[in-house]
Amino acid sequence: MSSSVVSRSGRFSAGPAAEVAAFSESISFDWRLWAQDIRGSIAHATMLQKIGVLTKTELKSIRGGLEEIGREIAAGKFQWKLELEDVHMNIEAELTKRVPAGAKLHTGRSRNDQVAVDVRLWLRDEIEALDGELHGLQRALVDLGAANADVIIPGYTHLQRAQPVFFAHHCLAYVEMLARDIERFEDCWSRVNVCPLGSGAIAGSTLPLDREFVAELLEFTHPRTGKPRVTQNSMDGVSDRDFMVEFAAASALLAVHLSRLSEDLILWVSSEFGFIKIADAYTTGSSLMPQKKNPDVAELTRGKAGRVVGNLMALLTLLKGLPMTYNRDLQEDKERLFDTADTVRACVRLMTGMLANTSVNAGACARAASDPLLLATDLADYLVRKGMPFREAHHVVGSVVGLAEMTGKPLNELSLEDFRGVSDRFGPDVVDMFDLRKAMARRQLTGAPGTKEVKRQLARWTKRLAQV
Ligand code: ARG
């Protein structure tokens, strides 16, 4: 069957020029909506039978035909035709060729609400799968932190050593970021989960379609109340792509988080830091330098953030000048959407695998964390406890650091006389300030990198992640 039978009936005397067909086809990428398209069509046909447009026999033959086509597509035996433009027409044309009642399937439906429902079905599943994978990544971060629970590293601001933190605390920072990402995706899901079928091309239908029934069949229901959720304006129903933009935006932020994590790993795996080792399977060599072991997975993850952010920009730009309602421009949404979903899922999966194959070099971490300057702030807090105003304490410790620098002695090797030369508030207990374990125990605030608090946070996340 040629495309003219399905979409160019009557009005057109000839098909589009070959060049136009090649320019306007979307089958090369929207074929992957086939399962959703078939599911949506079966639901629509079931409803058409309920309202008397199809007989039971016709419904049965349509359903059988669609299921058969689905099996052939799944087995890679279906012949996609470029001249049939998109997934919707390919499947419908093939159905009608096999089953005469197929010609009734499109009653009260347009490709405009059809593509909207297909994409929503697809994205709903995609978000659920991504959700699961994000929890897996959180688990990998918690596991890496828990396996190295005693390891302390310098925390950095401006990429300069700042204050000591547990390695696990650093890992848990990303767990928190990912938790917000998951919330954003779940929030987006609730707006994806609305059924646009029945919107028709733009203005619904004069036929008594049962929109709520279709929504129920396709599980477009409220997760708590179970009530069907259908779009409330037919024009909005066919032209709304907000949910895609939301997904792309949540993905862009996720990609940025993964890029930052990648950057940390790239720094840590360098000889300059040497905090971690990534297993060979997750690194690559250099074609020229025999000694090289490069963190390509992390670098590519960092690089791919660029295209995910770009996809968000492409979608926003695509939509900004569109008059109501459906415009063919909207066909450009799918490749950005697919690429976004594929890219973030791959990045999350690979990051999870890489972290599971990463070990911590406790010696290098301990050496870096033993820098007494990391505890300069603790020294100021010490003076505050002795009654000194913080601004003054900050100044005094600054002078002590200056003295250490001048005399070439590490801060913790200055004598009590050296300290007292700067301020008589220093007492013999000042040496305690440089005991790193004690310093970590002193950090007791919620969210601080203290010994007890980090243990508590690890336990909290371990428990939480065991429940999802
Ligand atoms: N392939 C089209 C898309 O992706 C399907 C909808 C076409 N609708 C239309 N009126 N031409 O948007």
Side-chain angles (χ1 to χ4, degrees):
M1 177 173 292
S2 79
S3 65
S4 61
V5 176
V6 171
S7 71
R8 300 176 71 86
S9 48
R11 176 93 168 67
F12 296 89
S13 52
E19 225 182 5
V20 172
F23 185 68
S24 55
E25 65 84 23
S26 57
I27 189 63
S28 57
F29 50 87
D30 69 14
W31 65 269
R32 64 189 283 184
L33 295 172
W34 66 268
Q36 291 74 21
D37 199 70
I38 288 176
R39 189 175 172 203
S41 286
I42 290 175
H44 182 67
T46 307
M47 182 275 292
L48 289 178
Q49 189 274 317
K50 182 173 182 253
I51 65 168
V53 172
L54 295 178
T55 65
K56 281 211 165 110
T57 321
E58 286 171 329
L59 169 61
K60 204 164 159 243
S61 64
I62 287 175
R63 184 198 295 272
L66 286 170
E67 285 170 352
E68 184 183 73
I69 289 171
R71 280 192 296 275
E72 287 168 25
I73 298 172
K77 288 189 193 131
F78 189 78
Q79 198 65 48
W80 298 107
K81 296 198 182 90
L82 186 124
E83 61 277 16
L84 288 176
E85 209 177 289
D86 57 24
V87 64
H88 325 294
M89 297 215 291
N90 264 272
I91 292 176
E92 192 191 333
E94 187 58 32
L95 175 73
T96 309
K97 203 159 83 179
R98 299 178 188 192
V99 174
K104 293 187 178 181
L105 174 61
H106 214 48
T107 311
R109 187 177 73 167
S110 155
R111 272 188 295 155
N112 296 351
D113 56 353
Q114 190 177 358
V115 70
V117 81
D118 289 5
V119 167
R120 283 171 183 267
L121 285 169
W122 183 87
L123 187 53
R124 209 173 55 178
D125 287 351
E126 198 62 29
I127 292 174
E128 285 165 20
L130 177 60
D131 219 42
E133 290 186 286
L134 282 168
H135 284 121
L137 177 53
Q138 285 185 305
R139 265 182 222 109
L141 283 159
V142 170
D143 289 350
L144 187 63
N148 298 279
D150 293 332
V151 173
I152 301 168
I153 56 171
Y156 297 80
T157 63
H158 312 266
L159 202 52
Q160 305 290 314
R161 283 181 183 171
Q163 294 186 287
V165 296
F166 279 102
F167 177 82
H169 191 61
H170 197 130
C171 294
L172 287 173
Y174 285 101
V175 175
E176 297 285 343
M177 290 183 226
L178 294 172
R180 293 193 296 275
D181 288 327
I182 291 169
E183 278 179 24
R184 271 183 283 272
F185 283 116
E186 287 175 354
D187 188 51
C188 169
W189 183 96
S190 67
R191 278 177 293 281
V192 174
N193 189 39
V194 187
C195 189
L197 268 187
S199 299
I202 166 170
S205 172
T206 57
L207 300 168
L209 308 181
D210 189 339
R211 297 194 61 205
E212 283 72 18
F213 179 66
V214 177
E216 271 169 9
L217 290 177
L218 296 174
E219 293 170 279
F220 284 110
T221 51
H222 193 285
R224 268 199 323 281
T225 64
K227 287 220 176 82
R229 301 194 68 212
V230 300
T231 55
Q232 296 295 311
N233 180 297
S234 63
M235 295 175 79
D236 185 42
V238 291
S239 62
D240 169 28
R241 297 293 183 274
D242 292 6
F243 62 91
M244 272 190 212
V245 172
E246 287 184 49
F247 177 76
S251 296
L253 192 44
L254 165 62
V256 166
H257 288 157
L258 296 176
S259 181
R260 296 185 66 182
L261 174 55
S262 296
E263 175 62 9
D264 278 343
L265 297 174
I266 291 162
L267 285 172
W268 287 351
V269 84
S270 70
S271 308
E272 280 67 20
F273 280 79
F275 290 179
I276 59 168
K277 198 170 159 248
I278 300 173
D280 289 357
Y282 285 85
T283 60
T284 59
S286 155
S287 56
L288 190 145
M289 299 165 283
Q291 86 285 10
K292 288 297 283 294
K293 220 182 102 175
N294 297 324
D296 293 33
V297 170
E299 291 172 276
L300 280 167
T301 301
R302 188 177 57 186
K304 284 176 193 293
R307 72 196 256 183
V308 179
V309 171
N311 287 341
L312 169 62
M313 294 308 133
L315 283 174
L316 286 168
T317 313
L318 172 66
L319 296 175
K320 80 168 274 296
L322 287 190
M324 290 292 261
T325 52
Y326 180 87
N327 296 269
R328 191 62 180 274
D329 315 43
L330 289 176
Q331 182 167 294
E332 287 288 310
D333 61 1
K334 274 167 287 298
E335 285 163 292
R336 300 304 102 222
L337 177 70
F338 294 157
D339 185 67
T340 299
D342 293 345
T343 305
V344 292
R345 278 189 68 185
C347 289
V348 169
R349 202 159 44 242
L350 270 287
M351 182 60 81
T352 306
M354 179 164 58
L355 291 177
N357 287 278
T358 291
S359 55
V360 172
N361 182 352
C365 294
R367 272 191 299 283
S370 70
D371 179 351
L373 287 174
L374 290 168
L375 295 168
T377 311
D378 288 45
L379 212 52
D381 289 347
Y382 165 92
L383 291 173
V384 166
R385 278 193 296 272
K386 303 271 176 191
M388 189 181 283
F390 179 75
R391 286 291 170 211
E392 196 185 330
H394 185 278
H395 183 80
V396 166
V397 175
S399 303
V400 174
V401 170
L403 180 70
E405 234 168 54
M406 215 169 62
T407 57
K409 281 194 230 170
L411 195 61
N412 55 336
E413 285 174 23
L414 291 175
S415 65
L416 183 57
E417 287 66 50
D418 291 334
F419 276 107
R420 291 184 66 86
V422 181
S423 166
D424 59 8
R425 300 287 183 110
F426 286 113
D429 54 349
V430 70
V431 292
D432 265 8
M433 289 302 105
F434 296 107
D435 183 323
L436 190 55
R437 296 285 149 189
K438 281 189 186 156
M440 298 318 279
R442 276 195 296 270
R443 289 152 163 74
Q444 290 174 4
L445 301 180
T446 300
T451 316
K452 265 201 190 145
E453 176 62 4
V454 173
K455 274 210 183 80
R456 188 180 76 82
Q457 294 285 354
L458 277 174
R460 180 173 77 86
W461 277 111
T462 304
K463 190 170 153 203
R464 222 177 114 169
L465 290 169
Q467 286 161 352
V468 288

